[in-house]
Amino acid sequence: MLQLKSLSRLWVLVMSIAVMNSVFASDDPKADLVSLLDVQNEAEIENCIYARDIRTVEVLDERGLVIRGSHDRFWVNQFVHKCAGLQKNMVLNFKRYGSQICANDRVAAQDRATDGFGAIASCRLGKFQPVVMEQIATLKAELGGAQ
């Protein structure tokens, strides 16, 4: 009887992992935002950026953000996992520790109509990929969000 319970628990664990992989992995070539960019030098990827340098933040989709910084610098940040419930018109609140926003920090998103009551989505930031305007335009076109 004990072996049957152990096998049952193992089966539940294996199925849970399979479900998690199907949620976070995708055969869609557009699943990885950074792969859509024509990255010339991966050494430029940054773990942190100074919060004071951020001018605007735009939600691309549930996979990531475009951040515009001072001196016309731009970054794409792909979340560690898809951020279920995140929409383009949401208010973002970065949970940071110190003066920088870093990979693995969290950003909470809430609907503008909720009057500040509770986050609808909570996302874990990835690394910051420096990009130029042309790359952002290409990325938005690939995602179908070109305006």
Side-chain angles (χ1 to χ4, degrees):
M1 186 68 170
L2 180 61
Q3 286 182 335
L4 184 57
K5 279 187 175 181
S6 296
L7 286 175
S8 176
R9 287 181 182 155
L10 179 60
W11 184 83
V12 169
L13 177 63
V14 168
M15 292 308 295
S16 298
I17 291 170
V19 168
M20 295 282 288
N21 283 337
S22 70
V23 169
F24 295 122
S26 174
D27 293 333
D28 181 3
K30 296 179 182 177
D32 184 5
L33 294 175
V34 176
S35 70
L36 295 175
L37 300 169
D38 183 22
V39 178
Q40 300 298 321
N41 186 1
E42 291 193 25
E44 296 176 356
I45 295 173
E46 299 175 44
N47 282 319
C48 300
I49 58 176
Y50 283 98
R52 69 174 181 259
D53 290 339
I54 296 175
R55 299 297 174 252
T56 61
V57 178
E58 178 184 354
V59 174
L60 286 170
D61 62 13
E62 64 186 6
R63 294 171 290 180
L65 309 169
V66 171
I67 300 166
R68 180 178 181 261
S70 57
H71 309 291
D72 286 327
R73 293 193 63 204
F74 295 88
W75 298 271
V76 168
N77 188 286
Q78 180 173 318
F79 300 127
V80 174
H81 301 290
K82 284 186 179 180
C83 190
L86 181 66
Q87 297 174 13
K88 293 184 181 215
N89 62 343
M90 291 184 153
V91 176
L92 302 177
N93 181 19
F94 289 87
K95 307 287 183 192
R96 62 184 165 104
Y97 304 94
S99 60
Q100 295 182 318
I101 295 174
C102 297
N104 293 314
D105 283 354
R106 292 211 170 263
V107 59
Q110 65 188 62
D111 194 337
R112 293 181 186 280
T114 61
D115 250 356
F117 293 107
I120 292 176
S122 180
C123 321
R124 201 168 86 192
L125 296 170
K127 294 185 179 183
F128 298 86
Q129 173 65 55
V131 293
V132 295
M133 283 295 296
E134 293 78 15
Q135 290 174 302
I136 295 169
T138 301
L139 181 58
K140 287 180 179 180
E142 287 284 329
L143 295 174
Q147 297 177 1

